[in-house]
Amino acid sequence: MNALVLALIGVAIMLGGYFLYSKYLGSRIYRLNASFRTPAHTLEDGVDYVPTNRYVLWGHHFTSVAGAAPIVGPAIAVIWGWVPAFLWVTIGTVFIAGMHDFGALWASARHRGQSIGTLSGTYIGRNGRNLFLVIIFLLLLMVNAAFAVVIAKLLVSTPTSVIPTWGAVIVALLIGQAIYRLKWNLPLVSLVGVVTLYALMLVGDSLPVTLPETILGLNPNGFWIVVLFLYAGVASLLPVWVLLQPRDYINGLQLFVGLIILYGSVALSLPTLVAPTFNTQLPEGTPSMVPLLFVTIACGAISGFHGLVSSGTSSKQIDKETDERFVGYFGAVGEGLLALGAIIATCAGYQTVTQWREVYSAFGKGGVGAFVEGGSGIIHAGLGLPSSLSATILATMAVLFAATTMDTGVRLQRLVVQEIGGHLGVKLSNITATVTVLVVALALTFSSGGDGSGGLVIWPLFGTTNQLMAALTLCIICIILIRLRRPYRMVLIPMVFVMAVSVWALVIQLGTFYGSGNWMLLTLDVIILVAAVWIIVASVSAMRDAMASPAITDAEFDEATAVTDGVDTHARVQ
């Protein structure tokens, strides 16, 4: 099958979801109100709560939720064939991911920008909230540690990506000043920023940066990991408009241009999908497609991390409630397009199925490396760009996606640590909480040696934990909708499905970890599984209570979730 046909079908399905299904969600389910004063205005502080242009905020949201996961997951999952991966990415994006991200953003903005963890205390109860925070902390720890390792490896394996990666930070700082202090024209600033980033890629392709074998007692991987965490720690303490927003915005534009280059190359080169539609010759040791497909491809179909971003940073920057459809749902569409691009790159970027099988010789093979290798081949064939430059473009895309997610992840984990401290009666400053996050993450990352490979130790639990987080976020949205007597089955059905496959996968992993004698992962798996069952029971009870309690009218909901001129008039909607 020609890859262009698959691309056109996939893009059409996702855009159809945005233009049709998201409008239904916005008007009938979430009932967006343009006159509702968002937390960005009522609680504006110039640091976290900042009213933001919806295009700038979309850039932050899209690049924060995307990361490397929508590349890694699909690039591994195609081992079962490209059809299962394609169906899960497209159907998941339209009916689950978009609804989930949109709903988490709406629910948080309606509750003073509170995180999903805090909302769980309001709608599920204190015990549910505490267990929720444990899962959130572990999920963010997995993301921050693993992404630091992934970025470091790419900077070492593709030294041509070093200059554009760090040059993007300087460009972002300048763009932040141009937009917020100098009030320059946004389209002009955007154009100059994107052109500068791609110019940096040309410079990087000509001037690769290769580190010596030892720097300050660390190998190149370990050195980059330390630098990345120090950078992310500083970035998490700065006001969002200084670095986080402009970096994510300009990266979002640059990355979208990268997707256009990839899809345009597919249209010009017309590559054939050499990977099998359904792979019947699976390598020995490959797990069953069900339920593992649905947790291997998390970001790109449905991801709990998105709910953390929606409720942790994006909800505090929404200018108008009507912007939530564009930021939340279309952000999920952007990630779906990236996941689709990863499927095409890894299934059509090789010349023969034999060559493809050499790459996918075992479960877990592929990943970012296969995306860069396959995608660069397509770009080289379609646009005639040198293979080195093509690889630089895609490697830089992957690094910038992962880096912006890491920026947001460290900030979110700092907020979670402060929230946990608050529940324990300990007030932590931003600096103290950030140092705590960095110490824990670095300790995990270097637990297996100076190369930082320890950051991937608990990564095998990411897919199940991430999907479990998504299901729990859908629980909260569902309870709110039940209280408001609005249609909720389009949330309930995906919630039950994602919850079922997540718990199923956790149980399967228990056997795997026990069989391999991996007691640390086995212990963490048990903790997450017990927390999940506890929260599920609490959520079912909360839903039954919501159905039995008096309905809340839209007017009462508006009043109960209002904050006026910085004065909190919020009433618990229970």
Side-chain angles (χ1 to χ4, degrees), residues 69 71-81 153 279 282-287 296-297 342-343 345-347 350 355-373 459:
I71 296 174
V72 175
I76 291 175
V78 294
I79 195 169
W80 288 298
K153 286 184 175 180
N279 192 4
L282 293 170
E284 184 178 354
T286 302
T296 301
I297 301 180
I343 292 171
T346 53
C347 293
Y350 298 95
Q355 188 181 28
W356 181 87
R357 290 191 184 280
E358 289 176 357
V359 174
Y360 288 88
S361 57
F363 182 72
K365 297 289 186 180
V368 175
F371 169 74
V372 172
E373 182 182 357
W459 183 253

Side-chain angles (χ1 to χ4, degrees), residues 302-323:
I302 171 66
S303 166
F305 181 73
H306 293 198
L308 301 183
V309 174
S310 293
S311 65
T313 59
S314 299
S315 64
K316 298 174 177 62
Q317 302 169 58
I318 281 288
D319 184 29
K320 299 177 182 178
E321 189 173 59
T322 47
D323 292 344

Side-chain angles (χ1 to χ4, degrees), residues 437-557:
V437 168
L438 296 182
V439 168
V440 172
L442 284 169
L444 172 65
T445 306
F446 289 103
S447 61
S448 298
D451 62 350
S453 59
L456 297 175
V457 167
I458 61 175
W459 183 253
L461 284 169
F462 169 76
T464 48
T465 307
N466 192 41
Q467 300 303 68
L468 179 63
M469 185 71 229
L472 298 177
T473 299
L474 291 174
C475 282
I476 294 173
I477 298 171
C478 194
I479 293 170
I480 296 174
L481 294 176
I482 291 172
R483 288 304 316 271
L484 292 168
R485 298 299 188 269
R486 296 180 187 174
Y488 62 88
R489 286 180 176 80
M490 69 290 300
V491 179
L492 180 65
I493 294 172
M495 180 200 79
V496 171
F497 174 75
V498 176
M499 185 75 75
V501 295
S502 301
V503 172
W504 187 359
L506 277 170
V507 172
I508 290 175
Q509 286 182 315
L510 279 178
T512 302
F513 299 146
Y514 179 80
S516 62
N518 195 326
W519 307 119
M520 185 184 75
L521 287 182
L522 179 66
T523 302
L524 287 174
D525 196 321
V526 170
I527 292 172
I528 294 169
L529 185 59
V530 170
V533 173
W534 192 311
I535 296 173
I536 290 170
V537 172
S539 298
V540 171
S541 177
M543 287 182 189
R544 292 176 62 183
D545 290 344
M547 291 177 181
S549 62
I552 298 173
T553 66
D554 288 355
E556 290 172 333
F557 186 60

Side-chain angles (χ1 to χ4, degrees), residues 328-350:
Y329 196 100
F330 195 63
V333 169
E335 186 178 57
L337 292 174
L338 176 60
L340 177 60
I343 292 171
I344 292 172
T346 53
C347 293
Y350 298 95

Side-chain angles (χ1 to χ4, degrees), residues 15-27 29 93-96 98-99 102 325 329 489-491 494:
L15 291 182
Y18 175 70
F19 288 112
L20 299 175
Y21 190 52
S22 75
K23 284 187 178 180
Y24 168 77
L25 292 173
S27 62
I29 309 303
T93 294
V94 171
F95 294 106
I96 309 181
M99 174 269 295
F102 187 2
R325 184 173 78 91
Y329 196 100
R489 286 180 176 80
M490 69 290 300
V491 179

Side-chain angles (χ1 to χ4, degrees), residues 121-209:
T122 301
Y123 289 100
I124 297 178
R126 185 176 64 181
N127 291 333
R129 177 202 64 202
N130 293 339
L131 294 171
F132 223 99
L133 289 175
V134 170
I135 294 175
I136 291 173
F137 182 85
L138 288 174
L139 178 61
L140 290 171
L141 180 61
M142 293 176 200
V143 169
N144 293 333
F147 278 22
V149 175
V150 169
I151 297 168
K153 286 184 175 180
L154 280 171
L155 291 175
V156 172
S157 64
T158 314
T160 54
S161 66
V162 173
I163 287 178
T165 294
W166 294 108
V169 176
I170 299 174
V171 173
L173 289 169
L174 295 175
I175 286 177
Q177 297 298 315
I179 293 176
Y180 287 99
R181 287 195 181 275
L182 303 178
K183 308 295 182 183
W184 286 2
N185 179 269
L186 181 60
L188 178 61
V189 172
S190 304
L191 177 61
V192 172
V194 171
V195 170
T196 302
L197 285 181
Y198 274 94
L200 286 171
M201 291 184 197
L202 292 173
V203 174
D205 190 53
S206 302
L207 299 172
V209 177

